Amino acid sequence: MEANTDPEVPQGTSTLGRTGNLTRLKRLNLDGNLLSTVPALPASLQELKLNDNLLQGLEHSSFQGLSQLLTLEVEGNRLHDGNISPLAFQPLRSLLYLRLDRNQLRTIPPGLPASLQELHLGTNIIEEVREGTLNHSRSLSVLVLSNNRLQEDRLAPRAWIDLPKLEALDLSYNQLVHVPSFLPRGLRHLTLHHNRIERIPGYVFAHMKPGLETLHLAHNSLREDGIHGVSFLGLQASLAELLLDHNQLQAVPRGLLGLRALQVLRLSHNKIRHVPLNSICDTRVAQDSNLISTHLENNLIDRRRIPPTAFSCIRAYHSVVLEPQQGEGESA
């Protein structure tokens, strides 16, 4: 029978003393135990989960022989910068997916495998991204650094701009006050919600090719003087989703007309009072917009004062959400 070629040892099993004999074991789940060190493991493993243990560190020999491992999860342990050997990940020549969330890391660990495609480091205490740390991770496509302590002046200028395959970067729940410069050239998805962002610098996206598809900036401190006509330069043909809800905007931001691919626009929960003509739709050109979802609810807009053609380029009028507005009664 071939059923045993891909067994998974569930939580609470008693196989630790004989894992060396499990020469065909591919998936091993050791989550939620009391392990303080990584046990000896069979070389056949492709997936290893060590989440929510008491691991005190990763030695140079912790993953010895695991050259076939594709997925490694070590969330919720006691890992910090001083107890991870620079050689700990060296044996993992095939590793694609690594989770180190919920530890006490202040920086991205050194010596990550060149094969790595996804790196998750959320909910640590990371304060900086140093130049050179990710230089060998040129296969990386997803990097998650949410729920840390990052500030833009602690992001090295060349921290990740040269990562050719990085498509998704999550910097949500940090301490950024403006959209970082020197973003990866090929980035498609940028997540920045729940920071302290006050401005989108001009030309910050201009170097990107082909350009961002999604830009999530909800729950920040953006005001209209923090967004300029050139803030979105470089995203005209690519950006499909722009989330600016829960900010301090008092006007519809400049530069939206140039975003020809935009499908989802969220400006709800701001302090916008007016929707001027030619702010969302350009009435000077006879062309339908790609917008399919436009949210402007929970602002300070008097809907009676909206110009009749303000949304004329949007084919489905029901996709424009204007109700309720702040201060309106239930009957509004």
Side-chain angles (χ1 to χ4, degrees):
M1 292 180 64
E2 294 297 318
N4 292 327
T5 60
D6 191 24
E8 177 175 357
V9 178
Q11 174 181 326
T13 59
S14 58
T15 60
L16 283 182
R18 55 186 178 86
T19 51
N21 297 325
L22 299 174
T23 57
R24 301 171 74 182
L25 188 69
K26 292 186 178 180
R27 298 163 58 221
L28 179 60
N29 185 340
L30 294 171
D31 289 354
N33 283 284
L34 301 174
L35 297 171
S36 59
T37 59
V38 179
L41 298 164
S44 57
L45 277 184
Q46 294 181 3
E47 179 182 306
L48 174 61
K49 296 184 178 182
L50 292 163
N51 303 315
D52 298 301
N53 277 281
L54 303 173
L55 294 181
Q56 305 291 325
L58 299 177
E59 305 295 333
H60 71 278
S61 58
S62 292
F63 304 116
Q64 198 65 40
L66 298 184
S67 61
Q68 298 182 53
L69 198 68
L70 303 176
T71 296
L72 174 61
E73 298 183 11
V74 201
E75 291 189 49
N77 281 278
R78 298 181 177 179
L79 303 179
H80 56 75
D81 295 17
N83 64 14
I84 298 180
S85 166
L87 303 177
F89 302 108
Q90 192 173 48
L92 305 177
R93 295 193 297 271
S94 303
L95 195 69
L96 302 177
Y97 183 92
L98 175 61
R99 294 196 77 104
L100 291 167
D101 310 70
R102 295 186 293 111
N103 282 286
Q104 290 92 46
L105 298 169
R106 291 186 181 275
T107 59
I108 296 175
L112 296 171
S115 57
L116 201 61
Q117 294 181 8
E118 281 200 36
L119 175 59
H120 294 254
L121 289 163
T123 316
N124 277 276
I125 51 174
I126 295 174
E127 298 174 334
E128 64 177 334
V129 182
R130 299 171 183 165
E131 190 165 332
T133 302
L134 296 168
N135 276 8
H136 300 292
S137 304
R138 295 181 65 82
S139 297
L140 202 62
S141 63
V142 176
L143 176 58
V144 178
L145 287 164
S146 57
N147 285 283
N148 278 287
R149 299 179 182 176
L150 291 170
Q151 300 178 30
E152 55 282 338
D153 60 350
R154 303 294 298 277
L155 303 177
R158 304 199 69 82
W160 42 46
I161 194 170
D162 292 322
L163 297 181
K165 297 183 179 179
L166 194 64
E167 292 191 351
L169 177 60
D170 187 347
L171 297 172
S172 59
Y173 290 96
N174 276 283
Q175 298 173 14
L176 303 170
V177 296
H178 61 74
V179 174
S181 302
F182 305 106
L183 291 163
R185 290 184 179 90
L187 201 65
R188 306 309 301 267
H189 308 282
L190 178 58
T191 304
L192 290 166
H193 59 77
H194 289 90
N195 275 274
R196 304 170 183 173
I197 293 173
E198 298 175 357
R199 65 188 180 95
I200 306 173
Y203 305 101
V204 72
F205 306 117
H207 64 291
M208 292 185 169
K209 296 287 186 283
L212 289 178
E213 293 178 7
T214 64
L215 176 56
H216 292 190
L217 279 161
H219 294 276
N220 277 287
S221 302
L222 283 165
R223 299 177 183 274
E224 62 275 8
D225 58 359
I227 302 178
H228 309 284
V230 291
S231 290
F232 301 115
L233 196 70
L235 307 183
Q236 297 95 324
S238 64
L239 193 65
E241 185 171 285
L242 176 59
L243 307 189
L244 294 168
D245 50 289
H246 294 88
N247 277 280
Q248 302 296 318
L249 296 169
Q250 293 180 320
V252 175
R254 290 171 287 175
L256 296 184
L257 288 185
L259 301 176
R260 300 186 300 274
L262 197 62
Q263 297 181 33
V264 176
L265 173 63
R266 288 188 181 270
L267 291 166
S268 51
H269 295 275
N270 277 281
K271 298 178 180 180
I272 298 170
R273 292 185 176 275
H274 305 291
V275 183
L277 205 60
N278 300 323
S279 59
I280 292 177
C281 288
D282 191 346
T283 59
R284 297 160 294 190
V285 297
Q287 185 175 353
D288 284 343
S289 168
N290 286 311
L291 281 168
I292 57 175
S293 178
T294 306
H295 282 259
L296 282 156
E297 74 272 19
N298 286 293
N299 278 284
L300 299 169
I301 299 169
D302 183 346
R303 284 171 285 141
R304 295 167 298 182
R305 299 182 63 185
I306 298 174
T309 56
F311 302 112
S312 60
C313 64
I314 299 175
R315 284 166 286 189
Y317 190 78
H318 62 81
S319 69
V320 180
V321 180
L322 287 164
E323 298 180 3
Q325 293 296 319
Q326 297 173 27
E328 286 186 342
E330 291 184 1
S331 60

